[in-house]
Amino acid sequence: MHRKPIKHCRACGTAVQYRVPDDGDTKERAVCPSCVTVHYENPLNVVGTVPHWGDKVLLCKRNIEPRWGKWTLPAGFMELGETTAEGAARETVEEAGAQFELQELFSLVNVPVVGQVHLFYRARLTSDQFAPGVETIEARLFAEDEIPWDEIAFQTVKQTLQRYFGDRHAGHYQFHAIDLV
Ligand SMILES: [Zn+2]
């Protein structure tokens, strides 16, 4: 899911051109031929949680594209003005209607091919009752042997879940930095 190229200048609306700016830059950017604004495009952060209840984790069945009907951890794009932890908590409320205590940062997954960095926090559920939002068909707890591994929406989620259960078996949780290349 590559990002769509910028078409129009955000400052004046003129159609942009992709070229190397004249300021010593070395990369092609969307440059406005009219007002000369350079539109920089940088990676986006996706923030979410690994909500757990006993030996189970909470997954959400997606009611949105891409990957409609596939299972994911609650996660979404970080908003301006919030911290990564606040964003992760917000997404968990929005997508699952879960009640929880946010814990440590668990995984950081670089996905340079789509220009994203995904961050997942562990979250201790304080209730096993959920109220999924409009982006979720169903929110459900899964034990490790119940995880629908072939129906997981994203590699970032799959890798995070694999490490979560690995740590759970090892008896302690640590931080995981992962590069998906
Ligand atoms: Zn412009």
Side-chain angles (χ1 to χ4, degrees):
M1 197 173 73
H2 288 266
R3 216 177 299 173
K4 290 194 186 87
I6 293 172
K7 284 191 176 151
H8 297 97
C9 175
R10 282 194 292 268
C12 75
T14 304
V16 299
Q17 298 168 346
Y18 271 83
R19 64 172 179 86
V20 178
D22 307 321
D23 59 1
D25 203 337
T26 55
K27 289 188 189 307
E28 280 202 344
R29 314 280 184 188
V31 182
C32 176
S34 175
C35 73
V36 203
T37 298
V38 180
H39 300 278
Y40 296 95
E41 296 165 87
N42 300 100
L44 294 171
N45 291 325
V46 171
V47 289
T49 57
V50 186
H52 54 94
W53 176 264
D55 63 351
K56 297 182 174 181
V57 298
L58 174 65
L59 297 180
C60 296
K61 195 172 195 176
R62 290 171 63 81
N63 196 27
I64 46 170
E65 296 291 351
R67 318 283 163 83
W68 184 93
K70 302 290 185 191
W71 293 90
T72 186
L73 289 164
F77 288 109
M78 192 177 175
E79 298 285 0
L80 294 174
E82 68 185 4
T83 66
T84 52
E86 287 167 349
R90 176 183 51 74
E91 289 290 345
T92 306
V93 170
E94 285 178 4
E95 295 189 358
Q99 298 168 51
F100 55 91
E101 293 163 5
L102 200 69
Q103 299 174 286
E104 304 82 32
L105 182 60
F106 179 70
S107 68
L108 181 158
V109 193
N110 281 294
V111 198
V113 71
V114 290
Q116 295 178 1
V117 180
H118 293 222
L119 300 133
F120 289 92
Y121 289 79
R122 285 194 302 124
R124 182 187 296 112
L125 290 164
T126 55
S127 164
D128 61 354
Q129 301 300 307
F130 311 112
V134 291
E135 295 184 358
T136 303
I137 296 167
E138 182 186 359
R140 214 183 107 186
L141 292 168
F142 290 87
E144 183 178 7
D145 61 1
E146 300 168 333
I147 299 275
W149 292 107
D150 296 334
E151 298 290 312
I152 299 296
F154 304 106
Q155 271 299 319
T156 53
V157 170
K158 197 169 189 174
Q159 298 256 344
T160 294
L161 285 171
Q162 286 169 343
R163 281 164 179 79
Y164 176 81
F165 286 112
D167 280 9
R168 186 176 164 78
H169 287 296
H172 67 277
Y173 297 95
Q174 55 186 0
F175 172 69
H176 300 269
I178 302 161
D179 293 339
L180 285 185
V181 290

